[in-house]
């Protein structure tokens, strides 16, 4: 039996030759061998078995909000986790599968009167992507609220604490392991107060970020805590600077946006120009926050 048929029979949606531009928030990325969307964690485990025993390369994606994928496409399968979105509340623990949207999870926490993740409301992407990136906002990071993370590693499933995962600013040691589920440790509070705080953070985000533009979030990591990349880029007069259809956002210079028919290569060139200028002016070496797939 061919691999596509095996994956289909194992309970996943299978889209051969799918373009990644349809699945990334910056709308860039060529074709992959197939996009595989498991319908449950069991279908994910079956798909992983099939891919591993066939020796096929694969990558994992959440909601594609931090990905820049080559327009030439990739000779790999991509597993998209969006349908793994079950959750349960056990006292002050919120346990969820990794494909659930972080925004939805914040809403769920609020409706159960669980506080602690209001600052993260509005970060697009999935719970898995947020853990992988140790995403954060307004002084709160994923590591601050995680109780445990369940990882799949070569057929083994194990739970880890955030300390085991060496989580720090936009960094973890998860590597090629796959996040299946996680538990968030929250605190009881009134839903009304939680919603109020969530709305305040969302408002701040709306004022500062290019929410309605096609972007992949912050282009670069801060090289040190007090170095704000967006402000530095702005000081260099690069706000609005573009190469081809890729542009430094007019609203927030830390964001790269696809302002037209932006290409992967345009984005890479723009990244290099900004890195060079920042190094020349401030002596800082910038590392991209956006994950580059090529
Ligand atoms: C407008 C905008 C605003 C943003 N604001 C913020 C912000 O305030 N703070 C912030 O930190 N980020 C921000 N981001 C970036 C992005 O939303 C986060 O990094 C988000 O957590 C990525 O989640 P995702 O599901 O989209 O991951 P993807 O982009 O799909 O993947 C990112 C990485 O995680 C890995 N991954 C995803 N899921 C899993 C899994 N289940 N198991 C193993 N690996 C996995 C992928 O392989 C990839 O390496 C913003 C992005 C946009 C577009």
């Amino acid at each position: 039996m061919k691999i596509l048929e095996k994956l289909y029979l194992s309970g996943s949606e299978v889209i051969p030759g799918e373009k990644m531009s349809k699945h990334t928030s910056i709308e860039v990325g060529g074709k992959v061998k197939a996009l595989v969307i498991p319908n449950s964690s069991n279908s994910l485990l079956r798909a992983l078995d099939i891919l591993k025993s066939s020796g096929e390369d694969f990558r994992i994606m959440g909601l594609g909000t931090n990905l820049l994928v080559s327009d030439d496409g990739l000779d790999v399968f991509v597993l998209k986790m969006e349908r793994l979105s079950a959750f349960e509340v056990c006292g002050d623990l919120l346990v969820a599968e990794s494909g659930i949207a972080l925004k939805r999870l914040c809403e769920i926490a609020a409706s159960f009167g669980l506080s602690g993740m209001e600052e993260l409301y509005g970060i697009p992407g999935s719970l898995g992507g947020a853990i992988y990136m140790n995403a954060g906002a307004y002084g709160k990071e994923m590591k601050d609220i995680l109780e445990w993370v369940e990882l799949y590693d070569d057929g083994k499933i194990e739970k880890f604490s955030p300390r085991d995962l060496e989580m720090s600013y936009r960094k973890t040691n998860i590597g090629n392991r796959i996040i299946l589920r996680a538990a968030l440790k929250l605190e009881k509070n009134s839903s009304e107060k939680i919603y109020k705080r969530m709305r305040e953070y969302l408002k701040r985000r709306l004022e500062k970020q290019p929410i309605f533009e096609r972007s992949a979030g912050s282009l670069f990591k801060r090289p040190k805590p007090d170095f704000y990349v967006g402000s530095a880029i702005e000081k260099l007069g690069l706000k609005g600077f573009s190469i081809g259809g890729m542009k430094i956002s007019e609203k927030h210079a830390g964001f790269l946006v696809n302002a037209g028919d932006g290409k992967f290569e345009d984005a890479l060139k723009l990244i290099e120009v900004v890195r060079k200028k920042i190094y020349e002016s401030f002596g800082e070496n910038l590392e991209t926050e956006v994950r580059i797939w090529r």
Side-chain angles (χ1 to χ4, degrees):
M1 207 187 298
K2 294 204 180 92
I3 185 147
L4 291 180
E5 292 166 354
K6 284 188 192 168
L7 288 167
Y8 177 75
L9 289 176
S10 74
S12 289
E13 231 49 72
V14 180
I15 315 174
E18 180 71 334
K19 274 186 139 184
M20 288 296 288
S21 56
K22 291 191 194 166
H23 301 272
T24 54
S25 53
I26 195 161
E27 292 184 17
V28 169
K31 288 182 182 178
V32 292
K33 272 191 176 167
L35 187 81
V36 179
I37 311 176
N39 283 305
S40 69
S41 51
N42 281 333
S43 59
L44 168 70
L45 296 178
R46 289 192 287 261
L48 287 168
D49 270 352
I50 294 167
L51 290 165
K52 278 177 182 282
S53 57
S54 325
E56 291 285 353
D57 266 356
F58 62 87
R59 297 195 189 183
I60 303 289
M61 73 178 291
L63 293 172
T65 65
N66 218 9
L67 291 181
L68 190 57
V69 183
S70 167
D71 289 318
D72 294 337
L74 296 165
D75 202 23
V76 300
F77 287 82
V78 173
L79 288 160
K80 189 173 184 186
M81 309 292 270
E82 66 183 351
R83 292 193 192 161
L84 273 65
S85 59
F87 68 88
E88 61 181 320
V89 175
C90 318
D92 54 6
L93 272 195
L94 175 54
V95 181
E97 288 184 326
S98 63
I100 195 165
L102 194 66
K103 268 182 102 167
R104 186 169 160 231
L105 202 58
C106 292
E107 290 277 356
I108 291 166
S111 68
F112 280 89
L114 291 173
S115 165
M117 55 190 309
E118 294 88 321
E119 296 89 338
L120 308 174
Y121 188 53
I123 298 182
S126 64
L127 172 64
I131 295 171
Y132 193 91
M133 301 301 300
N134 187 28
Y138 307 113
K140 182 65 65 79
E141 292 181 331
M142 285 306 296
K143 73 172 174 53
D144 304 328
I145 52 168
L146 280 173
E147 179 74 5
W148 51 257
V149 180
E150 190 179 76
L151 298 183
Y152 169 98
D153 186 10
D154 222 3
K156 268 198 336 257
I157 297 176
E158 247 183 288
K159 280 184 187 157
F160 295 88
S161 71
R163 188 181 297 212
D164 297 329
L165 303 179
E166 293 172 9
M167 298 178 80
S168 60
Y169 171 68
R170 305 297 176 267
K171 206 168 159 191
T172 63
N173 66 9
I174 295 171
N176 290 328
R177 294 176 288 175
I178 299 167
I179 304 159
L180 299 178
R181 290 191 309 155
L184 310 182
K185 179 114 173 77
L186 302 168
E187 280 170 22
K188 284 271 176 210
N189 204 330
S190 87
S191 289
E192 207 180 313
K193 279 191 191 146
I194 299 170
Y195 277 122
K196 194 165 171 275
R197 289 191 70 214
M198 276 165 51
R199 205 184 121 80
E200 279 159 15
Y201 286 115
L202 206 56
K203 220 170 137 219
R204 282 166 73 176
R205 190 174 279 279
L206 187 62
E207 279 159 13
K208 291 256 168 68
Q209 295 187 356
I211 302 294
F212 303 119
E213 292 176 70
R214 297 176 292 162
S215 90
S218 294
L219 191 48
F220 298 105
K221 293 183 185 181
R222 261 185 264 138
K224 51 189 186 202
D226 59 349
F227 188 92
Y228 292 94
V229 180
S231 314
I233 294 175
E234 200 172 340
K235 273 188 201 139
L236 294 174
L238 291 175
K239 214 176 189 182
F241 172 70
S242 65
I243 295 185
M246 288 294 178
K247 183 168 154 184
I248 296 295
S249 166
E250 307 267 9
K251 190 155 183 186
H252 188 311
F255 283 66
L256 171 73
V257 296
N258 184 350
D261 185 19
K263 301 273 182 267
F264 177 72
E265 290 301 327
D266 299 333
L268 294 188
K269 281 184 203 151
L270 205 143
I271 288 170
E272 277 324 302
V273 170
V274 174
R275 285 175 80 159
K276 188 162 175 280
K277 296 209 173 203
I278 292 278
Y279 185 74
E280 283 166 3
S281 303
F282 301 100
E284 295 293 348
N285 250 321
L286 295 183
E287 189 190 331
T288 51
E289 179 173 325
V290 168
R291 314 281 304 175
I292 298 176
W293 283 10
R294 58 176 142 199

